[in-house]
Amino acid sequence: MKIWQVLKSALVAVLLLLLCVPAAQAFCGFYVAKADSKLYNQASQVVIAKDGNRTILTMANDYQGAIKDFALVVPVPVVLQQEQVRIGDAQIIERLDSFSAPRLVEYFDEDPCEVLRPMPAPGASRGPIPAMAPAPYQEDSLGVTVEAKFSVGEYDIVVLSAKESDGLETWLNQNGYQIPSGASPLLRPYIRQNMKFFVAKVNLAEFEKGGYSFLRPLMIAYESPKFMLPIRLGMINSTGEQDLIVYVLSPKGQAEITNYRTVNVPSNAEIPVFVKAQFADFYKAMFNTSYNREGKKVAFLEYAWNMAGCDPCSADPLNQEELKKAGVFWLTPNGNNNVFVTRLHVRYSRDKFPEDLMFQETSNQQSFQGRYVLRHPFKGAVSCEAGKQYQKSLPARFEQEAQTLAKLTGWNMQEIRNKMKQLQSQQTPFWRSIWP
């Protein structure tokens, strides 16, 4: 006899980008603007494909502003040459987002007079990296050296090294970029680490020639033991908190942030059925509540799984060709998709995240997903004793679901109860009022 059987498992993939982040997205560096344009970045998506010291980093943005004003400065560990920079595919990032997004799972109770059965538990040759840079071709009197200069797609790119942050700031200003106030102190630590500066701006002629309606992602490949994301510069443009979704692709296992605490996003919670129509609001409220409870100082793990499968899947796993477009460089033509994806969601601000994100690779293959469960009660007539007991148990179950929802989201308990009653009333056949 089954208590309830899965009649339908509707997986609602949630594009967290739409749920949890403001409309404007940005790279992990900062924007600089010509003239007096004020540009603010609010969020970003980054894909890091990493194996040992080899990394391919994809930076996606949804910049909203005049294309002519767009420019970007990102610290990088080495001097990059043209062959180490490519245009990425925005659809691949959307695929990663869909595959790893927190999901809503829907079950329907079976006739309680049937055999009982527990609910299924949730599932639970490297390509060559381009050679490094040739000798720089220009030494600036400000202590700034143009290590490389080239164009890729619609982007004109220079890679700079600098001896002093003030000199770098002056150089950028003299070359037509208005640096946001306060940039120099934030540039200084990267100079001390001997990091370089990847500076990209849009070539308007190429952009118009390509007929693009948005800025395409940029990909960079390099070899370095550094495993980090420079988020501090991104705060220059920010007016408040920013959201960052990081997808780390590794042949080994989960990636971890080493200098900030990482916690799992609340998961496997049974919540009222009416949430199905309000899942976006639910997830935003739940994330905000968790973020505040953790003191705004943690990163959230939203997904960790081997790309070879998923259970349940909110979208098909990426195939080899898609993984290659995402920067995965260690797959062989007829081999398995040995790719473990870690999805981290970081909401950061200047005061809570004073350091860049530092990562490490691990061999931990433990799976995790943000998963939320709806259980529809059995609506048919019951005549057996087990059925009567089942019906008696429902009010307590509904109350528990309501309390869980209130705890996760901070929503008003009475409003939750009212919505549950309203939905139950709508789902009850009218004749039950006289023919129970």
Side-chain angles (χ1 to χ4, degrees), residues 21-22 24 32 70 97 153 167 206 220 242 268 293 295 304 351 367 379-380 386:
V21 300
V32 296
F70 175 87
D97 190 18
E206 290 296 322
I220 58 176
Q242 298 184 81
N268 288 329
R293 283 177 180 163
D351 58 332
S367 299
K379 295 295 185 183

Side-chain angles (χ1 to χ4, degrees), residues 154-175:
E154 64 269 35
Y155 295 101
D156 290 335
I157 296 165
V158 294
V159 180
L160 307 173
S161 61
K163 296 179 179 178
E164 299 290 340
S165 58
D166 290 342
L168 177 59
E169 181 175 359
T170 300
W171 188 96
L172 289 168
N173 280 317
Q174 288 181 347
N175 283 271

Side-chain angles (χ1 to χ4, degrees), residues 209-345:
K209 179 181 176 182
Y212 308 119
S213 56
F214 59 89
L215 291 174
R216 297 182 293 171
L218 275 167
M219 304 179 72
I220 58 176
Y222 55 87
E223 289 192 66
S224 170
K226 289 183 181 294
F227 191 6
M228 52 88 75
L229 272 179
I231 63 173
R232 285 176 298 170
L233 285 183
M235 299 178 192
I236 295 176
N237 297 101
S238 173
T239 56
E241 297 168 343
Q242 298 184 81
D243 284 87
L244 171 67
I245 306 294
V246 183
Y247 311 92
V248 182
L249 309 178
S250 166
K252 298 177 180 176
Q254 284 192 27
E256 299 176 347
I257 294 177
T258 60
N259 57 335
Y260 294 101
R261 192 162 60 93
T262 301
V263 300
N264 294 348
V265 71
S267 182
N268 288 329
E270 294 193 6
I271 53 179
V273 173
F274 78 82
V275 174
K276 181 178 180 180
Q278 303 177 18
F279 189 53
D281 292 336
F282 158 76
Y283 196 85
K284 286 190 289 187
M286 188 212 65
F287 189 90
N288 286 335
T289 301
S290 300
Y291 172 67
N292 289 322
R293 283 177 180 163
E294 296 291 346
K296 304 183 178 182
K297 296 181 178 178
V298 304
F300 287 93
L301 176 67
E302 292 184 326
Y303 192 79
W305 216 279
N306 192 301
M307 189 65 77
C310 46
D311 180 22
C313 296
S314 61
D316 292 336
L318 277 66
N319 59 38
Q320 283 214 358
E321 185 61 28
E322 291 173 319
L323 289 170
K324 184 178 178 181
K325 291 181 179 178
V328 175
F329 52 85
W330 55 83
L331 297 179
T332 55
N334 298 317
N336 296 325
N337 288 353
N338 183 28
V339 180
F340 197 96
V341 56
T342 303
R343 174 183 177 129
L344 297 163
H345 185 168

